Coordinates of all heavy atoms in Angstrom, one line a residue:
M91 N 0.8 -1.2 0.0 CA 0.0 0.0 0.0 C 0.9 1.3 0.0 O 0.5 2.2 -0.7 CB -0.9 0.0 1.2 CG -2.1 -1.0 1.1 SD -3.2 -0.9 2.6 CE -3.4 0.8 2.9
E92 N 1.9 1.2 0.7 CA 2.8 2.4 0.8 C 3.4 2.8 -0.5 O 3.5 4.0 -0.9 CB 3.9 2.2 1.9 CG 3.4 2.1 3.3 CD 4.5 1.8 4.3 OE1 5.7 1.9 3.9 OE2 4.2 1.5 5.4
E93 N 3.8 1.8 -1.3 CA 4.5 2.1 -2.6 C 3.5 2.6 -3.6 O 3.9 3.2 -4.6 CB 5.2 0.8 -3.1 CG 6.4 0.4 -2.2 CD 7.0 -0.8 -2.7 OE1 7.0 -1.1 -3.9 OE2 7.5 -1.6 -1.8
T94 N 2.2 2.3 -3.5 CA 1.2 2.6 -4.5 C 0.4 3.8 -4.1 O -0.3 4.4 -4.9 CB 0.3 1.5 -4.8 OG1 -0.5 1.2 -3.6 CG2 1.1 0.3 -5.3
G95 N 0.3 4.1 -2.8 CA -0.5 5.2 -2.3 C -2.0 4.7 -2.2 O -2.9 5.6 -2.0
A96 N -2.2 3.4 -2.2 CA -3.6 2.9 -2.1 C -4.0 3.2 -0.6 O -3.3 3.2 0.3 CB -3.6 1.4 -2.3
E97 N -5.3 3.6 -0.5 CA -5.9 3.9 0.8 C -6.2 2.7 1.6 O -6.2 2.7 2.9 CB -7.2 4.7 0.7 CG -6.9 6.1 0.2 CD -7.0 6.3 -1.3 OE1 -7.5 5.5 -1.9 OE2 -6.4 7.3 -1.7
S98 N -6.5 1.5 1.0 CA -6.8 0.3 1.7 C -6.5 -0.9 0.9 O -6.2 -0.8 -0.3 CB -8.3 0.3 2.1 OG -9.1 0.5 1.0
G99 N -6.4 -2.0 1.7 CA -6.0 -3.3 1.0 C -6.5 -4.5 1.8 O -6.9 -4.4 3.0
L100 N -6.6 -5.6 1.1 CA -7.1 -6.8 1.6 C -6.2 -8.0 1.2 O -5.7 -8.0 0.1 CB -8.5 -7.2 1.1 CG -9.6 -6.3 1.4 CD1 -10.8 -6.6 0.4 CD2 -10.1 -6.5 2.8
V101 N -6.1 -9.0 2.1 CA -5.5 -10.3 1.7 C -6.6 -11.3 2.1 O -7.1 -11.2 3.2 CB -4.2 -10.6 2.5 CG1 -3.7 -11.9 2.2 CG2 -3.1 -9.5 2.2
F102 N -6.9 -12.2 1.2 CA -8.0 -13.1 1.4 C -7.8 -14.3 0.5 O -6.9 -14.3 -0.3 CB -9.4 -12.4 1.1 CG -9.5 -11.8 -0.2 CD1 -10.1 -12.5 -1.3 CD2 -8.9 -10.6 -0.5 CE1 -10.2 -11.9 -2.5 CE2 -9.0 -10.0 -1.7 CZ -9.7 -10.6 -2.8
N103 N -8.6 -15.3 0.6 CA -8.5 -16.5 -0.3 C -9.7 -16.4 -1.3 O -10.6 -15.6 -1.2 CB -8.5 -17.8 0.5 CG -9.8 -18.2 1.1 OD1 -10.8 -17.7 0.8 ND2 -9.7 -19.1 2.1
I104 N -9.6 -17.2 -2.3 CA -10.5 -17.2 -3.4 C -12.0 -17.4 -2.9 O -12.9 -17.0 -3.6 CB -10.1 -18.2 -4.5 CG1 -10.9 -17.9 -5.8 CG2 -10.3 -19.6 -4.1 CD1 -10.6 -16.6 -6.5
D105 N -12.1 -18.0 -1.8 CA -13.5 -18.3 -1.2 C -14.0 -17.0 -0.4 O -15.1 -17.1 0.1 CB -13.5 -19.5 -0.3 CG -13.3 -20.8 -1.1 OD1 -13.8 -20.9 -2.3 OD2 -12.5 -21.7 -0.7
G106 N -13.2 -16.0 -0.4 CA -13.6 -14.7 0.2 C -13.3 -14.7 1.7 O -13.8 -13.9 2.4
I107 N -12.5 -15.7 2.2 CA -12.2 -15.7 3.6 C -11.1 -14.7 3.9 O -10.0 -14.8 3.4 CB -11.7 -17.1 4.1 CG1 -12.8 -18.1 3.7 CG2 -11.4 -17.1 5.6 CD1 -14.1 -17.9 4.4
L108 N -11.3 -13.7 4.7 CA -10.4 -12.6 5.0 C -9.2 -13.1 5.8 O -9.4 -13.8 6.8 CB -11.1 -11.5 5.7 CG -10.3 -10.3 6.1 CD1 -9.9 -9.5 4.9 CD2 -11.1 -9.4 7.1
V109 N -8.0 -12.7 5.4 CA -6.8 -13.0 6.2 C -6.3 -11.8 6.9 O -6.0 -11.8 8.1 CB -5.7 -13.6 5.2 CG1 -4.4 -13.8 6.0 CG2 -6.1 -14.8 4.5
E110 N -6.3 -10.6 6.2 CA -5.9 -9.4 6.7 C -6.4 -8.2 5.9 O -6.7 -8.3 4.7 CB -4.3 -9.3 6.7 CG -3.7 -8.2 7.4 CD -2.2 -8.2 7.5 OE1 -1.6 -9.2 7.1 OE2 -1.6 -7.2 7.8
S111 N -6.6 -7.1 6.6 CA -7.1 -5.9 5.9 C -6.5 -4.7 6.6 O -6.1 -4.7 7.7 CB -8.6 -5.8 5.9 OG -9.1 -5.4 7.2
V112 N -6.5 -3.6 5.8 CA -5.9 -2.3 6.3 C -6.9 -1.2 5.8 O -7.2 -1.1 4.6 CB -4.5 -2.0 5.8 CG1 -4.0 -0.7 6.2 CG2 -3.6 -3.2 6.2
N113 N -7.4 -0.4 6.8 CA -8.2 0.8 6.5 C -9.4 0.5 5.7 O -9.7 1.2 4.7 CB -7.3 1.8 5.7 CG -6.2 2.3 6.6 OD1 -6.2 2.3 7.8 ND2 -5.1 2.7 5.9
L114 N -10.2 -0.6 6.0 CA -11.4 -0.9 5.3 C -12.5 -1.3 6.2 O -12.3 -2.3 7.0 CB -11.1 -2.0 4.3 CG -12.1 -2.3 3.2 CD1 -12.3 -1.0 2.3 CD2 -11.7 -3.4 2.4
E115 N -13.6 -0.6 6.2 CA -14.8 -0.9 6.9 C -15.5 -2.1 6.2 O -15.4 -2.1 5.0 CB -15.7 0.3 7.0 CG -16.8 0.1 8.0 CD -17.6 1.4 8.2 OE1 -17.2 2.4 7.6 OE2 -18.5 1.4 9.0
Y116 N -16.1 -3.0 6.9 CA -16.8 -4.1 6.3 C -15.9 -5.0 5.5 O -16.2 -5.5 4.5 CB -18.0 -3.7 5.5 CG -18.9 -2.7 6.2 CD1 -19.1 -1.4 5.8 CD2 -19.7 -3.2 7.3 CE1 -19.9 -0.5 6.5 CE2 -20.5 -2.3 8.0 CZ -20.6 -1.0 7.6 OH -21.4 -0.1 8.2
D117 N -14.6 -5.2 6.0 CA -13.6 -5.9 5.3 C -14.0 -7.3 4.9 O -13.7 -7.8 3.8 CB -12.3 -5.8 6.0 CG -12.3 -6.2 7.4 OD1 -13.4 -6.6 7.9 OD2 -11.3 -6.2 8.1
G118 N -14.7 -8.0 5.8 CA -15.1 -9.4 5.6 C -16.1 -9.4 4.4 O -16.0 -10.3 3.5
N119 N -17.0 -8.5 4.3 CA -18.0 -8.4 3.2 C -17.3 -8.1 1.9 O -17.6 -8.7 0.9 CB -19.1 -7.4 3.5 CG -20.0 -7.8 4.6 OD1 -20.1 -8.9 5.0 ND2 -20.7 -6.8 5.1
V120 N -16.4 -7.2 1.9 CA -15.6 -6.8 0.7 C -14.8 -8.0 0.2 O -14.8 -8.3 -1.0 CB -14.8 -5.5 1.0 CG1 -13.9 -5.2 -0.2 CG2 -15.6 -4.3 1.3
A121 N -14.1 -8.7 1.1 CA -13.3 -9.8 0.8 C -14.2 -10.9 0.1 O -13.8 -11.5 -0.9 CB -12.6 -10.4 2.0
A122 N -15.4 -11.1 0.7 CA -16.3 -12.1 0.1 C -16.8 -11.7 -1.3 O -16.8 -12.6 -2.2 CB -17.5 -12.3 1.0
M123 N -17.1 -10.5 -1.5 CA -17.6 -10.0 -2.8 C -16.5 -10.0 -3.8 O -16.7 -10.5 -5.0 CB -18.1 -8.6 -2.7 CG -19.5 -8.6 -1.9 SD -20.2 -6.9 -1.9 CE -19.4 -6.2 -0.5
I124 N -15.3 -9.6 -3.5 CA -14.2 -9.6 -4.5 C -13.8 -11.0 -4.8 O -13.5 -11.4 -5.9 CB -13.0 -8.8 -4.0 CG1 -13.4 -7.3 -3.9 CG2 -11.8 -8.9 -5.0 CD1 -12.3 -6.4 -3.3
G125 N -13.8 -11.9 -3.7 CA -13.5 -13.3 -4.0 C -14.5 -13.9 -4.9 O -14.1 -14.7 -5.8
M126 N -15.8 -13.6 -4.8 CA -16.8 -14.1 -5.7 C -16.5 -13.6 -7.1 O -16.7 -14.3 -8.1 CB -18.2 -13.8 -5.2 CG -19.3 -14.3 -6.1 SD -19.3 -16.1 -6.4 CE -19.6 -16.6 -4.7
I127 N -16.2 -12.3 -7.3 CA -15.9 -11.7 -8.6 C -14.7 -12.4 -9.2 O -14.8 -12.8 -10.4 CB -15.7 -10.2 -8.5 CG1 -16.9 -9.5 -8.1 CG2 -15.1 -9.7 -9.8 CD1 -16.7 -8.0 -7.7
L128 N -13.7 -12.7 -8.5 CA -12.5 -13.4 -9.0 C -12.9 -14.8 -9.4 O -12.5 -15.2 -10.5 CB -11.4 -13.4 -7.9 CG -10.6 -12.1 -7.8 CD1 -9.7 -12.2 -6.5 CD2 -9.7 -11.8 -9.0
K129 N -13.6 -15.5 -8.6 CA -14.0 -16.8 -8.9 C -14.9 -16.9 -10.2 O -14.6 -17.7 -11.1 CB -14.8 -17.4 -7.8 CG -15.0 -18.9 -7.9 CD -15.7 -19.5 -6.6 CE -14.7 -19.7 -5.5 NZ -15.3 -20.5 -4.4
M130 N -15.8 -16.0 -10.3 CA -16.6 -15.9 -11.5 C -15.8 -15.6 -12.8 O -16.0 -16.2 -13.8 CB -17.7 -14.9 -11.4 CG -18.8 -15.3 -10.4 SD -20.0 -14.0 -10.0 CE -20.7 -13.7 -11.5
C131 N -14.8 -14.7 -12.6 CA -14.0 -14.3 -13.8 C -13.0 -15.5 -14.1 O -12.8 -15.7 -15.3 CB -13.2 -13.1 -13.4 SG -14.1 -11.6 -13.4
L132 N -12.6 -16.2 -13.1 CA -11.8 -17.4 -13.4 C -12.6 -18.4 -14.3 O -12.1 -19.0 -15.2 CB -11.4 -18.1 -12.1 CG -10.2 -17.6 -11.4 CD1 -10.1 -18.2 -10.0 CD2 -8.9 -18.0 -12.1
E133 N -13.8 -18.7 -13.8 CA -14.7 -19.6 -14.6 C -15.0 -19.1 -16.0 O -15.0 -19.9 -16.9 CB -15.9 -19.9 -13.8 CG -15.7 -20.6 -12.5 CD -16.9 -20.7 -11.6 OE1 -18.0 -20.3 -12.0 OE2 -16.8 -21.3 -10.5
M134 N -15.2 -17.8 -16.1 CA -15.5 -17.2 -17.4 C -14.2 -17.4 -18.3 O -14.3 -17.7 -19.5 CB -15.8 -15.8 -17.3 CG -16.2 -15.2 -18.7 SD -16.0 -13.4 -18.8 CE -14.3 -13.2 -18.5
S135 N -13.0 -17.1 -17.8 CA -11.8 -17.3 -18.5 C -11.6 -18.7 -19.1 O -11.2 -18.9 -20.2 CB -10.6 -17.0 -17.7 OG -10.2 -15.7 -17.8
E136 N -12.0 -19.7 -18.2 CA -11.9 -21.1 -18.6 C -12.9 -21.4 -19.7 O -12.6 -22.1 -20.7 CB -12.1 -22.0 -17.4 CG -10.9 -21.9 -16.4 CD -11.2 -22.6 -15.1 OE1 -12.3 -23.2 -15.0 OE2 -10.4 -22.5 -14.2
D137 N -14.2 -20.9 -19.5 CA -15.2 -21.2 -20.4 C -15.0 -20.6 -21.8 O -15.3 -21.3 -22.8 CB -16.6 -20.6 -19.9 CG -17.1 -21.4 -18.7 OD1 -16.6 -22.5 -18.5 OD2 -18.1 -20.9 -18.1
V138 N -14.4 -19.4 -21.9 CA -14.2 -18.8 -23.2 C -12.7 -19.1 -23.7 O -12.4 -18.6 -24.8 CB -14.5 -17.3 -23.2 CG1 -15.9 -17.1 -22.9 CG2 -13.6 -16.6 -22.3
N139 N -12.0 -19.9 -23.0 CA -10.7 -20.4 -23.4 C -9.7 -19.2 -23.7 O -9.1 -19.2 -24.7 CB -10.8 -21.3 -24.5 CG -9.5 -22.2 -24.7 OD1 -8.8 -22.4 -23.7 ND2 -9.3 -22.6 -25.9
T140 N -9.7 -18.2 -22.8 CA -8.8 -17.1 -23.0 C -7.6 -17.1 -22.1 O -6.8 -16.1 -22.0 CB -9.5 -15.8 -22.7 OG1 -10.0 -15.8 -21.4 CG2 -10.7 -15.6 -23.7
G141 N -7.3 -18.2 -21.5 CA -6.1 -18.4 -20.6 C -6.5 -18.1 -19.2 O -7.6 -17.8 -18.8
E142 N -5.5 -18.2 -18.3 CA -5.7 -18.1 -16.9 C -5.9 -16.7 -16.5 O -5.2 -15.8 -17.0 CB -4.4 -18.7 -16.2 CG -4.6 -18.8 -14.7 CD -3.4 -19.5 -14.0 OE1 -2.7 -20.2 -14.7 OE2 -3.2 -19.2 -12.9
L143 N -6.8 -16.4 -15.6 CA -7.0 -15.1 -15.1 C -5.8 -14.6 -14.4 O -5.2 -15.2 -13.6 CB -8.2 -15.1 -14.1 CG -8.6 -13.8 -13.5 CD1 -9.3 -12.9 -14.6 CD2 -9.5 -14.0 -12.4
K144 N -5.5 -13.3 -14.6 CA -4.4 -12.7 -14.0 C -4.8 -11.6 -13.0 O -4.2 -11.5 -11.9 CB -3.5 -12.1 -15.1 CG -2.3 -11.4 -14.6 CD -1.4 -10.9 -15.7 CE -0.2 -10.2 -15.2 NZ 0.6 -9.7 -16.3
Q145 N -5.7 -10.8 -13.4 CA -6.1 -9.6 -12.6 C -7.5 -9.1 -12.9 O -7.9 -9.3 -14.1 CB -5.0 -8.5 -13.0 CG -5.0 -7.3 -12.1 CD -3.8 -6.5 -12.5 OE1 -3.8 -6.0 -13.6 NE2 -2.9 -6.3 -11.6
V146 N -8.1 -8.6 -11.9 CA -9.4 -8.0 -12.1 C -9.3 -6.5 -11.7 O -8.8 -6.2 -10.6 CB -10.5 -8.7 -11.3 CG1 -11.8 -7.9 -11.4 CG2 -10.7 -10.1 -11.9
M147 N -9.8 -5.6 -12.5 CA -9.9 -4.2 -12.1 C -11.3 -3.7 -12.2 O -12.0 -4.0 -13.1 CB -9.0 -3.4 -13.1 CG -9.0 -1.9 -12.8 SD -8.1 -0.9 -14.0 CE -9.3 -1.0 -15.4
I148 N -11.7 -3.0 -11.1 CA -13.0 -2.5 -11.0 C -12.9 -1.0 -10.9 O -12.2 -0.5 -10.0 CB -13.8 -3.0 -9.8 CG1 -13.9 -4.5 -9.8 CG2 -15.2 -2.4 -9.7 CD1 -14.3 -5.2 -8.5
K149 N -13.4 -0.3 -11.9 CA -13.3 1.2 -11.8 C -14.7 1.8 -11.7 O -15.6 1.4 -12.4 CB -12.7 1.7 -13.2 CG -12.5 3.1 -13.3 CD -11.9 3.5 -14.6 CE -12.0 5.0 -14.9 NZ -11.8 5.3 -16.2
N150 N -14.9 2.7 -10.8 CA -16.2 3.4 -10.7 C -15.9 4.9 -10.6 O -14.8 5.3 -10.7 CB -17.0 2.9 -9.5 CG -16.3 3.0 -8.2 OD1 -15.5 4.0 -8.0 ND2 -16.5 2.1 -7.2
L151 N -16.9 5.6 -10.4 CA -16.8 7.1 -10.3 C -15.9 7.6 -9.2 O -15.3 8.7 -9.2 CB -18.1 7.8 -10.3 CG -19.0 7.6 -11.5 CD1 -20.4 8.2 -11.2 CD2 -18.4 8.2 -12.7
D152 N -15.8 6.8 -8.1 CA -15.1 7.2 -6.9 C -13.8 6.5 -6.7 O -13.3 6.6 -5.6 CB -16.0 7.1 -5.7 CG -17.2 8.0 -5.8 OD1 -17.1 9.1 -6.3 OD2 -18.3 7.6 -5.3
G153 N -13.3 5.7 -7.6 CA -12.0 5.1 -7.4 C -11.9 3.8 -8.2 O -12.5 3.6 -9.2
I154 N -10.9 3.0 -7.7 CA -10.5 1.8 -8.4 C -10.2 0.7 -7.4 O -9.6 1.0 -6.3 CB -9.4 2.1 -9.4 CG1 -9.0 0.9 -10.2 CG2 -8.2 2.6 -8.6 CD1 -8.1 1.2 -11.4
V155 N -10.5 -0.5 -7.8 CA -10.0 -1.7 -7.1 C -9.3 -2.6 -8.0 O -9.7 -2.8 -9.1 CB -11.3 -2.5 -6.6 CG1 -10.8 -3.8 -5.8 CG2 -12.1 -1.7 -5.7
V156 N -8.1 -3.0 -7.6 CA -7.3 -4.0 -8.4 C -7.1 -5.2 -7.6 O -6.6 -5.1 -6.4 CB -5.9 -3.4 -8.8 CG1 -5.1 -4.4 -9.6 CG2 -6.1 -2.1 -9.6
A157 N -7.5 -6.4 -8.1 CA -7.4 -7.6 -7.3 C -6.6 -8.6 -8.2 O -6.8 -8.8 -9.4 CB -8.7 -8.2 -7.0
N158 N -5.7 -9.3 -7.5 CA -4.9 -10.4 -8.2 C -5.0 -11.7 -7.4 O -5.2 -11.7 -6.2 CB -3.4 -10.0 -8.2 CG -3.0 -9.2 -9.4 OD1 -3.6 -8.1 -9.5 ND2 -2.1 -9.6 -10.2
K159 N -4.9 -12.8 -8.1 CA -4.9 -14.1 -7.5 C -3.6 -14.8 -7.8 O -3.1 -14.7 -9.0 CB -6.1 -15.0 -8.0 CG -6.2 -16.4 -7.5 CD -7.2 -17.1 -8.2 CE -7.1 -18.6 -8.1 NZ -5.8 -19.2 -8.4
D160 N -3.0 -15.5 -6.9 CA -1.7 -16.2 -7.2 C -2.0 -17.6 -7.7 O -3.2 -17.9 -8.0 CB -0.8 -16.2 -6.0 CG -1.3 -17.1 -4.8 OD1 -2.3 -17.8 -5.0 OD2 -0.7 -17.1 -3.8
Q161 N -1.0 -18.4 -7.9 CA -1.2 -19.7 -8.5 C -2.0 -20.6 -7.5 O -2.6 -21.6 -8.0 CB 0.2 -20.4 -8.7 CG 1.0 -19.7 -9.8 CD 0.3 -19.7 -11.2 OE1 -0.4 -20.6 -11.5 NE2 0.6 -18.7 -11.9
G162 N -2.0 -20.3 -6.3 CA -2.8 -21.0 -5.3 C -4.2 -20.4 -5.2 O -4.7 -19.9 -6.2
D163 N -4.6 -20.2 -4.0 CA -5.9 -19.6 -3.8 C -5.8 -18.3 -3.0 O -6.8 -17.8 -2.5 CB -6.9 -20.5 -3.0 CG -7.4 -21.6 -3.9 OD1 -7.4 -21.4 -5.2 OD2 -7.9 -22.6 -3.4
N164 N -4.6 -17.7 -3.0 CA -4.4 -16.4 -2.2 C -4.7 -15.2 -3.1 O -4.3 -15.2 -4.3 CB -3.0 -16.4 -1.7 CG -2.6 -17.6 -0.9 OD1 -3.4 -17.8 0.1 ND2 -1.6 -18.3 -1.2
C165 N -5.3 -14.2 -2.6 CA -5.7 -13.0 -3.3 C -5.3 -11.8 -2.6 O -5.3 -11.8 -1.3 CB -7.2 -13.0 -3.6 SG -7.8 -14.5 -4.3
V166 N -5.0 -10.7 -3.3 CA -4.7 -9.4 -2.8 C -5.5 -8.4 -3.5 O -5.6 -8.5 -4.8 CB -3.2 -9.1 -2.9 CG1 -2.9 -7.6 -2.4 CG2 -2.4 -10.0 -2.0
A167 N -6.1 -7.4 -2.8 CA -6.8 -6.3 -3.5 C -6.4 -5.0 -2.9 O -6.2 -4.9 -1.7 CB -8.3 -6.5 -3.3
L168 N -6.1 -4.1 -3.7 CA -5.8 -2.7 -3.3 C -6.9 -1.8 -3.8 O -7.3 -1.9 -4.9 CB -4.4 -2.3 -3.9 CG -3.2 -3.0 -3.4 CD1 -1.9 -2.6 -4.1 CD2 -3.0 -2.9 -1.9
L169 N -7.2 -0.8 -3.0 CA -8.3 0.1 -3.3 C -7.8 1.6 -3.1 O -7.1 1.9 -2.2 CB -9.5 -0.1 -2.4 CG -10.2 -1.4 -2.4 CD1 -9.5 -2.4 -1.5 CD2 -11.6 -1.3 -2.0
T170 N -8.2 2.4 -4.1 CA -7.8 3.8 -4.0 C -8.9 4.7 -4.6 O -9.6 4.3 -5.5 CB -6.5 4.2 -4.7 OG1 -6.2 5.5 -4.5 CG2 -6.5 3.9 -6.2
K171 N -9.1 5.9 -4.0 CA -10.1 6.8 -4.6 C -9.4 7.7 -5.6 O -10.1 8.5 -6.3 CB -10.7 7.6 -3.4 CG -11.5 6.8 -2.5 CD -12.2 7.6 -1.4 CE -13.0 6.7 -0.6 NZ -13.7 7.4 0.4
D172 N -8.1 7.7 -5.8 CA -7.4 8.5 -6.7 C -7.1 7.7 -8.0 O -6.2 6.9 -8.1 CB -6.0 8.9 -6.1 CG -5.3 9.9 -7.0 OD1 -5.7 10.1 -8.1 OD2 -4.2 10.4 -6.5
I173 N -8.0 7.9 -9.0 CA -7.9 7.2 -10.2 C -6.6 7.4 -11.0 O -6.2 6.5 -11.7 CB -9.1 7.6 -11.1 CG1 -9.4 6.5 -12.2 CG2 -8.9 8.9 -11.8 CD1 -9.9 5.2 -11.6
S174 N -5.9 8.4 -10.7 CA -4.6 8.7 -11.3 C -3.5 7.6 -10.9 O -2.5 7.5 -11.5 CB -4.1 10.1 -11.1 OG -3.7 10.2 -9.7
K175 N -3.8 6.9 -9.8 CA -2.9 5.9 -9.3 C -3.1 4.5 -10.0 O -2.4 3.5 -9.7 CB -3.0 5.7 -7.8 CG -2.6 7.0 -7.1 CD -2.8 6.8 -5.6 CE -2.5 8.1 -4.9 NZ -2.8 8.0 -3.4
M176 N -4.0 4.4 -11.0 CA -4.4 3.2 -11.6 C -3.2 2.5 -12.2 O -2.9 1.3 -11.9 CB -5.4 3.4 -12.7 CG -5.8 2.1 -13.4 SD -7.2 2.3 -14.5 CE -6.5 3.3 -15.8
G177 N -2.4 3.1 -13.0 CA -1.2 2.5 -13.6 C -0.2 2.0 -12.6 O 0.3 0.9 -12.7
L178 N 0.0 2.7 -11.5 CA 0.9 2.3 -10.5 C 0.4 1.1 -9.8 O 1.1 0.1 -9.5 CB 1.1 3.4 -9.5 CG 2.1 3.2 -8.3 CD1 3.5 2.8 -8.9 CD2 2.2 4.4 -7.5
L179 N -0.9 1.0 -9.5 CA -1.5 -0.1 -8.8 C -1.4 -1.4 -9.7 O -1.0 -2.4 -9.3 CB -3.0 0.1 -8.6 CG -3.4 1.0 -7.4 CD1 -4.9 1.2 -7.3 CD2 -2.9 0.4 -6.1
L180 N -1.7 -1.2 -11.0 CA -1.6 -2.4 -11.9 C -0.2 -2.9 -12.0 O 0.1 -4.1 -12.0 CB -2.1 -2.0 -13.3 CG -3.6 -1.6 -13.4 CD1 -3.9 -1.0 -14.7 CD2 -4.5 -2.8 -13.1
R181 N 0.8 -2.0 -12.1 CA 2.2 -2.3 -12.3 C 2.7 -3.0 -11.0 O 3.4 -4.0 -11.1 CB 3.0 -1.1 -12.6 CG 4.4 -1.3 -12.7 CD 4.8 -2.0 -14.0 NE 6.2 -2.0 -14.1 CZ 6.8 -2.8 -14.9 NH1 6.1 -3.5 -15.7 NH2 8.1 -2.8 -14.9
K182 N 2.4 -2.5 -9.8 CA 2.9 -3.0 -8.6 C 2.3 -4.4 -8.4 O 3.0 -5.3 -7.9 CB 2.5 -2.1 -7.4 CG 3.1 -2.6 -6.1 CD 4.6 -2.6 -6.2 CE 5.2 -3.1 -4.9 NZ 6.7 -3.2 -5.0
M183 N 1.0 -4.6 -8.7 CA 0.4 -5.9 -8.5 C 1.0 -6.9 -9.5 O 1.3 -8.1 -9.1 CB -1.1 -5.9 -8.8 CG -1.8 -5.1 -7.7 SD -1.9 -5.9 -6.1 CE -3.5 -6.6 -6.1
D184 N 1.3 -6.5 -10.7 CA 2.1 -7.4 -11.6 C 3.4 -7.8 -11.1 O 3.8 -9.0 -11.2 CB 2.3 -6.7 -13.0 CG 1.0 -6.7 -13.9 OD1 0.1 -7.5 -13.5 OD2 1.0 -6.0 -14.9
T185 N 4.1 -6.8 -10.5 CA 5.5 -7.1 -9.9 C 5.4 -8.1 -8.8 O 6.1 -9.1 -8.7 CB 6.1 -5.8 -9.4 OG1 6.2 -4.9 -10.5 CG2 7.5 -6.1 -8.9
I186 N 4.4 -7.9 -7.9 CA 4.2 -8.8 -6.7 C 3.9 -10.2 -7.2 O 4.5 -11.2 -6.7 CB 3.1 -8.3 -5.8 CG1 3.5 -7.0 -5.1 CG2 2.7 -9.3 -4.8 CD1 2.4 -6.2 -4.4
F187 N 3.0 -10.3 -8.1 CA 2.5 -11.7 -8.5 C 3.4 -12.3 -9.6 O 3.1 -13.5 -9.9 CB 1.1 -11.6 -8.9 CG 0.2 -11.5 -7.7 CD1 -0.1 -10.3 -7.2 CD2 -0.4 -12.6 -7.2 CE1 -0.9 -10.2 -6.0 CE2 -1.2 -12.6 -6.0 CZ -1.4 -11.4 -5.5
S188 N 4.3 -11.7 -10.1 CA 5.2 -12.3 -11.1 C 6.4 -13.0 -10.4 O 7.1 -13.8 -11.0 CB 5.7 -11.3 -12.1 OG 6.6 -10.4 -11.5
N189 N 6.6 -12.7 -9.1 CA 7.7 -13.4 -8.4 C 7.2 -14.6 -7.7 O 6.2 -14.8 -7.3 CB 8.3 -12.4 -7.4 CG 8.9 -11.2 -8.1 OD1 9.4 -11.3 -9.2 ND2 8.9 -10.0 -7.4

């Protein structure tokens, strides 16, 4: 979070079970919802044969959420209200999950 300027973040598993969160109200609910979104996107990727899911980005009027899943079932999501940080969030998540 410090390197990207994200206001909040979550670590959870693909089933939406929260492991850790920072600066997020209703973190258990958010982890469950993002976990479901990742799971649905994984299944869609498989169904349309476009390869393995790498990242999900949710952009709305008030910010952005970037969520990644590793080779196992571990997931990380970073959230920011500053849309100008989108490129930095995407790049940092790529760096974290490519190692």
